[in-house]
Amino acid sequence: MRIAIDAMGGDHAPEQIVKGALDAAAEWPDTELLLVGDKAVIEPLMKAGKPSNVQLIHADDVIGPDDEPVKAVRRKKGASMVIAGQLVKDKQADAMLSAGNTGALMTTGLLVVGRMEGIERPALAFVLPTVDDVGILAMDLGANMDAKPEHLAQYAVMGSIYREKVHGIKSPRVGLLNVGTEAKKGNEMTKAAYDLLEQAPVNFVGNVESREVLDRNCDVLICDGFSGNIMLKSLEGTAGTIFAMLKTAFGNSFLTKIAAAIMLPQLKQLKKKMDYKEHGGAPLLGLNGLVVKCHGSSDAVAVKNAVRQARIALQGNMIESISSEINGK
């Protein structure tokens, strides 16, 4: 397996991206990692030398977080993200990872890697933490702000295959994010999507309210990118606020500090459960190759976990399975 990594994308690039790649290279010597970026910047970060399964590919440009996605991808042909995408298109890499500009990565997926036959809109899929530690795959979480009912039905098929191939869940339950559990609840799009999901080749279990998501009432949660991204940011913000409040509360007195010391292992475990770094990244499903979006603030742990996630998807022939299901081949 060969995985291209955009070494220059993300808040902590290239230091943390390179470190994560080196950790992954040591963990999985059977996987070749193609680090794409400015060699003059990357090479000094490899203090212990370059492992045999790491290859450096020079890129003299970078797509920044404020760049307009379509213009940047079309004009910056030498950017690390675009070159990584081209490696996937040219079959020189089996997958690519990037913590860079989400819109630019989506554009790279569409214009460079290419959309899968039969798929109208690729979707960003992300594993949200749940109380039972299994997690729930939610999509779309921001790739497309506007969606049609037909797009949501395709998301359900792709998400079900991903859940089975990558996470080993047989016949995953598919739920539709809505304002109520009744079949006729929601707006015109969700009502139409409900009917399509009932006919789709998935294990559809009906509508799911956002307050039920962390209880894992389904294994795959389907929504449009606008609603999904709001839900994701709300969950991240709530988790961060709760931990900040707990930190303040436990520091109020000598007794609460003792209580905090006693509960520290459980609190660390809870924080780890809610940490995006543990899940690595979110694949853009519906493309001709495996493209994984890492969180913008990904550190080395997140990058390594994204490589692990990509390896599992490639081993399970996920792209081929989605294409076969969608196109009936």
Side-chain angles (χ1 to χ4, degrees):
M1 289 180 285
R2 307 182 82 197
I3 300 173
I5 300 177
D6 172 14
M8 311 305 288
D11 299 341
H12 304 300
E15 291 83 1
Q16 288 297 308
I17 309 299
V18 172
K19 184 178 186 306
L22 294 177
D23 291 344
E27 181 77 16
W28 300 292
D30 62 334
T31 300
E32 185 173 1
L33 301 179
L34 311 178
L35 270 176
V36 186
D38 189 337
K39 284 187 177 182
V41 176
I42 296 174
E43 285 177 337
L45 299 175
M46 297 184 170
K47 298 174 183 177
K50 184 173 72 65
S52 60
N53 60 329
V54 173
Q55 181 181 343
L56 300 185
I57 296 178
H58 181 69
D60 53 19
D61 211 342
V62 179
I63 293 179
D66 298 322
D67 282 342
E68 199 283 317
V70 177
K71 288 182 180 178
V73 172
R74 285 178 171 167
R75 294 176 181 177
K76 295 185 175 182
K77 302 295 185 182
S80 53
M81 182 187 294
V82 177
I83 291 176
Q86 192 65 46
L87 290 171
V88 176
K89 179 179 177 58
D90 295 340
K91 307 300 181 184
Q92 295 180 41
D94 302 302
M96 72 164 286
L97 316 176
S98 178
N101 185 313
T102 302
L105 185 62
M106 179 68 178
T107 304
T108 297
L110 288 171
L111 300 184
V112 182
V113 178
R115 185 172 54 203
M116 182 182 293
E117 181 185 354
I119 295 294
E120 292 188 33
R121 295 278 184 89
L124 193 63
F126 190 79
V127 176
L128 301 175
T130 54
V131 293
D132 60 2
D133 294 335
V134 176
I136 182 172
L137 183 75
M139 59 188 295
D140 175 25
L141 292 189
N144 304 289
M145 293 298 110
D146 298 300
K148 297 178 181 178
E150 294 78 12
H151 299 156
L152 271 60
Q154 290 189 341
Y155 298 168
V157 174
M158 293 191 293
S160 294
I161 294 172
Y162 184 84
R163 202 69 162 132
E164 184 171 342
K165 294 291 183 180
V166 178
H167 300 140
I169 297 177
K170 300 297 181 182
S171 188
R173 299 164 299 157
V174 176
L176 177 64
L177 183 66
N178 213 327
V179 295
T181 57
E182 298 85 354
K184 297 303 178 183
K185 283 276 190 174
N187 55 25
E188 293 304 313
M189 183 190 68
T190 56
K191 290 176 184 177
Y194 190 100
D195 293 336
L196 291 176
L197 288 169
E198 283 191 309
Q199 302 167 29
V202 298
N203 181 17
F204 182 52
V205 296
N207 290 328
V208 174
E209 294 185 74
S210 57
R211 64 183 176 184
E212 301 170 339
V213 170
L214 300 187
D215 292 327
R216 200 170 70 89
N217 284 15
C218 62
D219 303 298
V220 180
L221 182 69
I222 301 302
C223 51
D224 63 278
F226 183 78
S227 302
N229 196 265
I230 289 176
M231 178 186 66
L232 176 64
K233 299 291 175 57
S234 297
L235 290 173
E236 287 181 338
T238 300
T241 300
I242 288 175
F243 283 117
M245 292 171 67
L246 284 173
K247 186 176 181 180
T248 300
F250 280 125
N252 281 339
S253 68
F254 177 71
L255 288 177
T256 56
K257 288 179 181 178
I258 293 177
I262 296 172
M263 294 182 64
L264 189 59
Q266 288 77 14
L267 290 172
K268 284 184 176 179
Q269 186 176 0
L270 178 61
K271 188 174 183 180
K272 183 178 180 181
K273 181 187 294 188
M274 300 296 291
D275 194 349
Y276 68 88
K277 301 185 187 75
E278 298 301 316
H279 298 289
L284 273 168
L285 301 182
L287 300 174
N288 275 325
L290 181 59
V291 175
V292 179
K293 172 67 176 78
C294 301
H295 200 288
S297 57
S298 289
D299 62 6
V301 174
V303 173
K304 181 182 176 182
N305 281 327
V307 172
R308 171 182 53 77
Q309 184 180 5
R311 278 173 44 85
I312 295 171
L314 292 172
Q315 289 168 341
N317 296 315
M318 186 196 69
I319 301 297
E320 295 81 358
S321 296
I322 290 176
S323 179
S324 177
E325 183 66 41
I326 293 292
N327 297 299
K329 296 178 181 179

